[in-house]
């Protein structure tokens, strides 16, 4: 991974920082939230830098240390009264605009494919159409939350559609790593996400994107319930 051009990790670090900004903004720049995110990103970068995640023979894979904690945090927020109270106070518009980060993420993935660290299936030239979510996010934000021309049902449908696109690329990415159940990328497997800073994609950006979708869906469903 050390032979990648400098602009590639720089691009991805900037993309991650944009994601951090939107999450921090949604939480009103809470110092605790920012500290937790920075601490988590630092910890994962250190772990990935040791090469721990590159050993894919562990059962279960050591990579669960990058995925399980953020997923557990999302579940905890949605399952607790205090967490749901916080969720319902978050700005849906900001969390919708966050999805623009999916455009530079897809550009990064394409460049990683070109440099032979992920398979073509993980790019928009293969099985990954997640860039559609990033391109349409500003439209949904402007029409849905600024001009309020989109119906609530349309916003809900867009979020569900984007979640399906997210699930597609996440599944493809997991099945492209050299785990025992690998299905894609045998000639050019997914090794990038096992290294820093690209480990931030599965351990932070993907959970942040999923969290944003779930928050907006919950808020919009409450609006529909209140109107009905």
């Amino acid at each position: 991974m050390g032979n990648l051009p400098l602009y590639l990790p720089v691009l991805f670090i900037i993309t991650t920082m944009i994601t951090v900004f939107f999450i921090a903004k949604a939480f009103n720049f809470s110092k605790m939230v920012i500290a937790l995110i920075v601490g988590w990103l630092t910890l994962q970068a250190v772990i990935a830098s040791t090469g721990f995640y590159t050993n894919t023979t562990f059962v279960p894979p050591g990579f669960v240390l990058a995925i399980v904690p953020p997923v557990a945090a999302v579940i905890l927020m949605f399952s607790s009264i205090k967490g749901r109270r916080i969720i319902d106070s978050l700005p849906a518009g900001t969390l919708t605009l966050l999805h623009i980060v999916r455009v530079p993420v897809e550009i990064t993935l394409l460049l990683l494919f070109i440099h032979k660290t992920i398979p073509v299936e993980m790019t928009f030239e293969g099985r990954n159409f997640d860039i559609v979510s990033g391109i349409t996010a500003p439209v949904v934000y402007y029409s849905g939350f600024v001009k309020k021309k989109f119906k609530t049902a349309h916003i809900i449908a867009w979020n569900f559609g984007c979640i399906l696109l997210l699930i597609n690329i996440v599944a493809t990415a997991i099945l492209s790593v050299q785990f025992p159940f690998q299905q894609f990328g045998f000639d050019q497997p997914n090794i990038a996400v096992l290294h820093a800073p690209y480990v931030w994609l599965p351990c932070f950006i993907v959970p942040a994107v999923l969290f944003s979708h779930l928050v907006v869906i919950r808020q919009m469903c409450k609006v529909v319930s209140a109107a009905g």
Side-chain angles (χ1 to χ4, degrees), residues 138-203:
V139 177
V140 175
Y141 166 75
Y142 184 75
S143 298
F145 298 99
V146 178
K147 291 298 185 179
K148 301 186 184 303
K149 291 183 178 180
F150 279 1
K151 294 181 179 180
T152 304
H154 295 157
I155 298 175
I156 293 174
W158 178 81
N159 277 279
F160 273 116
C162 290
I163 287 178
L164 292 177
L165 292 177
L166 183 66
I167 291 173
N168 173 63
I169 177 53
V170 169
T172 302
I174 292 174
L175 294 174
S176 297
V177 180
Q178 292 173 306
F179 295 135
F181 47 81
Q182 181 181 2
Q183 297 294 318
F184 306 112
F186 291 100
D187 295 328
Q188 189 170 310
N190 175 17
I191 62 172
V193 298
L194 306 177
H195 299 265
Y198 311 104
V199 69
W200 290 343
L201 179 57
C203 84

Side-chain angles (χ1 to χ4, degrees), residues 33-179:
V33 170
I34 293 173
L36 286 172
I37 292 174
V38 172
W40 176 245
L41 293 177
T42 302
L43 175 63
Q44 288 301 317
V46 170
I47 294 175
S49 296
T50 68
F52 175 76
Y53 291 136
T54 60
N55 188 337
T56 56
T57 60
F58 291 155
V59 180
F63 203 62
V64 298
L65 294 178
I67 299 174
V68 172
V71 172
V74 172
I75 293 174
L76 179 63
M77 284 203 70
F78 275 88
S79 60
S80 66
I81 296 175
K82 183 178 180 180
R84 291 194 295 270
R85 188 180 302 120
I86 294 173
I87 284 170
D88 291 340
S89 69
L90 299 178
T94 299
L95 292 177
T96 298
L97 202 55
L98 174 146
H99 298 291
I100 62 173
V101 301
R102 290 155 91 160
V103 174
V105 163
E106 296 309 314
I107 293 173
T108 300
L109 291 178
L110 180 63
L111 293 172
L112 287 172
F113 160 67
I114 292 172
H115 287 88
K116 303 184 184 305
T117 56
I118 68 169
V120 67
E121 287 87 353
M122 288 179 60
T123 73
F124 50 74
E125 291 187 353
R127 297 169 51 89
N128 181 6
F129 308 105
D130 199 56
I131 195 169
V132 173
S133 303
I135 293 173
T136 55
V139 177
V140 175
Y141 166 75
Y142 184 75
S143 298
F145 298 99
V146 178
K147 291 298 185 179
K148 301 186 184 303
K149 291 183 178 180
F150 279 1
K151 294 181 179 180
T152 304
H154 295 157
I155 298 175
I156 293 174
W158 178 81
N159 277 279
F160 273 116
C162 290
I163 287 178
L164 292 177
L165 292 177
L166 183 66
I167 291 173
N168 173 63
I169 177 53
V170 169
T172 302
I174 292 174
L175 294 174
S176 297
V177 180
Q178 292 173 306
F179 295 135

